[in-house]
């Protein structure tokens, strides 16, 4: 048993999720690190004295097991698991890419929130979703990704209204361009040249540690302080409109 507060972080095997898990652990949380790649989250859990739970957020049984293993009180949920696939225009978009993005980003976030909500209420906890400025503005070749991030933002808006009388804070972090471990490589199927082109001309993109700082800031706010959204933009403002454009 532990007296530490409990934080659940999905997508903890790399990028923003991994950085957030480390940052929360540094603040004294027992972090439940959830992701599909068990070897990576087991390594992380050993490093930060947390717990590793293999979980594919598109699999309801996995998500229910994650909630059960997290325990009856969860102080922080960082619903970070997500992904962007494909850069085709709407007219020629791959439907499988869009379905995959919707299942992970939207249904995965929904499922994670649903299963952990009782424990969050018990702890007077906070839900933090990692969105994107793609949920605020659109760009060429980003119809699918922008669509799912708009959907997550709408879902969080509804949840915020529905939980108005519950002891749960509902928050979003919507970064601009973030240079993380694998995000661009996943978007371009491992093509390092295309991935590097994402950041061409951007003087100082955000880092995964920047977003982790925002996560811990929200997590540590006193309960009576009401912050429902934090839009984190890169220093080069134009960059948010250039995300994943290679032309």
């Amino acid at each position: 048993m532990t007296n530490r507060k409990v934080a659940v972080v999905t997508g903890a095997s790399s990028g923003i999720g991994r950085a957030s898990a480390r940052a929360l652990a540094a603040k004294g949380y027992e972090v439940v690190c959830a992701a599909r790649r068990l070897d990576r989250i087991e390594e992380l859990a050993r490093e930060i004295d947390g717990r590793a739970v293999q979980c594919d957020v598109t699999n309801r049984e996995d998500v229910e097991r994650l909630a059960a293993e997290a325990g009856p009180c969860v102080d922080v949920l960082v619903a970070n698991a997500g992904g962007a696939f494909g850069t085709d225009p709407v007219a020629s978009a791959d439907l499988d890419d869009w379905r995959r993005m919707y299942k992970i980003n939207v249904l995965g976030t929904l499922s994670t929130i649903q299963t952990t909500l009782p424990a969050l209420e018990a702890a007077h906890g906070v839900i933090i979703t990692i969105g994107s400025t793609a949920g605020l503005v659109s760009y060429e070749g980003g119809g699918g990704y922008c669509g799912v991030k708009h959907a997550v933002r709408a879902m969080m808006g509804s949840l915020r209204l529905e939980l108005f009388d519950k002891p749960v804070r509902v928050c979003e972090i919507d970064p601009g361009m973030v240079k993380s471990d694998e995000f661009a490589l996943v978007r371009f199927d491992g093509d390092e040249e295309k991935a590097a082109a994402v950041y061409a001309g951007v003087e100082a993109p955000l880092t995964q540690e920047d977003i982790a700082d925002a996560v811990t800031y929200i997590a540590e706010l006193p309960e009576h302080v009401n912050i429902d959204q934090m839009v984190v933009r890169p220093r080069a403002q134009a960059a948010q409109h250039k995300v994943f454009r290679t032309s």
Side-chain angles (χ1 to χ4, degrees):
M1 296 293 290
T2 177
N3 292 322
R4 290 183 292 169
K5 290 184 176 181
V6 174
V8 174
V9 180
T10 64
S13 60
S14 65
I16 292 170
R18 193 175 184 87
S20 296
R22 284 174 170 150
L24 287 164
K27 292 290 185 179
Y29 289 83
E30 180 182 17
V31 182
V32 180
C33 308
R36 292 173 300 164
R37 292 178 289 185
L38 184 59
D39 58 334
R40 298 198 64 167
I41 55 173
E42 284 181 334
E43 175 190 2
L44 176 62
R46 286 193 295 270
E47 174 193 331
I48 65 174
D49 191 22
R51 288 184 276 155
V53 178
Q54 189 172 30
C55 178
D56 179 345
V57 296
T58 68
N59 184 315
R60 183 71 179 199
E61 290 184 359
D62 276 12
V63 177
E64 288 176 349
R65 181 168 49 83
L66 169 63
E69 295 197 22
C73 290
V74 171
D75 298 275
V76 181
L77 168 65
V78 183
N80 165 74
F85 310 104
T87 57
D88 294 332
V90 171
S92 57
D94 187 319
L95 293 182
D96 287 338
D97 283 342
W98 284 45
R99 289 190 187 98
R100 186 181 177 195
M101 283 189 283
Y102 197 88
K103 285 179 67 177
I104 298 172
N105 292 277
V106 183
L107 299 183
T109 297
L110 171 62
S111 190
T112 304
I113 291 172
Q114 286 179 332
T115 55
T116 55
L117 191 53
L120 286 158
E121 288 189 31
H124 290 209
V126 55
I127 299 167
I128 304 173
T129 56
I130 307 300
S132 170
T133 51
L136 304 168
V137 296
S138 299
Y139 58 87
E140 301 96 319
Y145 184 63
C146 292
V148 298
K149 288 303 184 183
H150 274 77
V152 170
R153 188 162 182 261
M155 176 171 63
M156 293 299 284
S158 293
L159 182 65
R160 192 171 295 120
L161 296 172
E162 292 160 2
L163 297 182
F164 80 96
D165 60 346
K166 304 293 185 182
V168 179
R169 179 181 286 130
V170 179
C171 303
E172 306 162 48
I173 301 175
D174 295 319
M177 181 180 288
V178 180
K179 190 169 186 178
S180 64
D181 293 338
E182 299 179 349
F183 188 72
L185 281 175
V186 170
R187 186 70 180 269
F188 298 109
D189 296 321
D191 189 320
E192 295 188 14
E193 185 176 346
K194 285 185 177 180
V198 169
Y199 308 104
V202 180
E203 181 180 347
L206 291 165
T207 68
Q208 54 207 30
E209 287 75 23
D210 290 330
I211 312 309
D213 285 346
V215 166
T216 55
Y217 172 78
I218 293 172
E220 292 289 279
L221 284 173
E223 187 176 340
H224 68 275
V225 176
N226 183 22
I227 286 187
D228 63 4
Q229 183 182 52
M230 177 181 295
V231 178
V232 184
R233 294 189 175 90
R235 297 171 198 172
Q237 290 292 312
Q240 64 181 283
H241 300 292
K242 292 175 60 182
V243 178
F244 306 120
R245 288 180 60 180
T246 57
S247 59

